[in-house]
Amino acid sequence: MGKQEEQNQQKIERKKPRFLCLHGFRTNGQIMKTQIEKWPPSVLEKLDLVFVDAPFPANGKSDVEGIFDPPYYEWFQFNKEFTEYTNFDECLAYIEDYMVEHGPFDGLLGFSQGVALTKVPKINFLVIIGGAKLKEPSLAGKAYSCLIHCPSVHFLGETDFLKPYGTELLKSFVDPVVIHHPKGHTVPRLDDKGLPTMLNFVEGIQKAVTRNEE
């Protein structure tokens, strides 16, 4: 490959929207990577995905034991009612520091517990899988005090126990894109209905990133 071709290739690669991917509760970045790789190349080849482990070792049993190998991590801790959080601010700081050191990032992709951390600053795009609104009053007041304008796509599972809360979360966004799937609380495959929606979303933000670079 000649120098000019190499520079052109690098320029094309830079136009891929870069997402920091935040895994679910008591899993890890490699598990999240394995889950996302169920998506077809037509989506994945348009994105630059970076996977990171949460800062705290799992403080209990993981639901993926026997399916995926440890170690397992969690982003923060919470009570049974999901109304009190521990180490939430520390976790946000951890993510912000990671983004400064390894960025820049165009967006965040979060699954389950990772969705709660998508309110870090300077993010232009969001992919939310199995998400829910924060319930802790002071945090919710800050996170949802005004409508969220950045482009977002939300995956809602028909049998996901968090579906009612994920549906409620949609009200906090100006123009959310929604992909419904028949599964539960999981990173789903993209079916014939979801794939065109996801491709349209990804291609839209890819154009936006390209315009910003130019």
Side-chain angles (χ1 to χ4, degrees):
M1 181 183 291
K3 186 175 182 181
Q4 185 61 47
E5 290 178 335
E6 185 175 350
Q7 289 175 342
N8 289 339
Q9 181 64 25
Q10 290 174 348
K11 186 175 182 181
I12 292 171
E13 289 174 356
R14 284 200 299 271
K15 292 178 183 177
K16 288 184 179 181
R18 195 159 189 254
F19 277 77
L20 181 60
C21 301
L22 308 177
H23 62 76
F25 185 56
R26 293 179 180 168
T27 64
N28 61 47
Q30 181 58 45
I31 292 172
M32 180 72 169
K33 185 174 186 291
T34 301
Q35 293 170 318
I36 290 293
E37 285 177 346
K38 293 184 294 187
W39 292 357
S42 58
V43 172
L44 297 178
E45 67 189 7
K46 293 179 173 64
L47 299 170
D48 181 8
L49 302 178
V50 178
F51 299 86
V52 60
D53 291 331
F56 302 105
N59 192 27
K61 182 177 175 61
S62 169
D63 288 341
V64 301
E65 284 184 23
I67 303 171
F68 295 105
D69 293 333
Y72 310 120
Y73 300 95
E74 57 194 40
W75 295 102
F76 55 93
Q77 296 77 43
F78 48 84
N79 64 356
K80 291 182 179 179
E81 294 76 30
F82 301 99
T83 55
E84 296 179 6
Y85 306 141
T86 305
N87 292 318
F88 191 87
D89 289 340
E90 290 82 354
C91 189
L92 283 182
Y94 168 83
I95 293 172
E96 290 174 11
D97 289 344
Y98 187 93
M99 290 172 64
V100 169
E101 184 176 352
H102 301 278
F105 291 95
D106 300 297
L108 289 176
L109 186 158
F111 169 54
S112 189
Q113 193 187 35
V115 169
L117 304 160
T118 54
K119 283 297 293 180
V120 297
K122 298 180 181 178
I123 284 299
N124 297 321
F125 312 104
L126 291 172
V127 178
I128 293 176
I129 306 171
K133 288 187 75 169
L134 296 169
K135 288 187 175 182
E136 202 280 329
S138 63
L139 291 175
K142 294 176 184 177
Y144 314 118
S145 59
C146 58
L147 287 173
I148 301 168
H149 287 262
C150 72
S152 62
V153 60
H154 304 247
F155 288 75
L156 297 178
E158 292 304 313
T159 60
D160 188 349
F161 71 99
L162 286 180
K163 183 184 177 184
Y165 309 103
T167 302
E168 179 70 19
L169 179 62
L170 296 177
K171 298 176 183 178
S172 298
F173 288 80
V174 171
D175 190 21
V177 175
V178 181
I179 294 177
H180 295 276
H181 64 89
K183 300 296 185 179
H185 194 61
T186 185
V187 178
R189 297 180 185 275
L190 286 164
D191 58 21
D192 292 342
K193 292 182 179 179
L195 180 56
T197 303
M198 187 62 179
L199 277 173
N200 187 59
F201 178 81
V202 170
E203 288 167 1
I205 62 177
Q206 197 171 29
K207 290 177 182 177
V209 170
T210 301
R211 284 196 301 269
N212 289 338
E213 284 200 356
E214 291 175 349

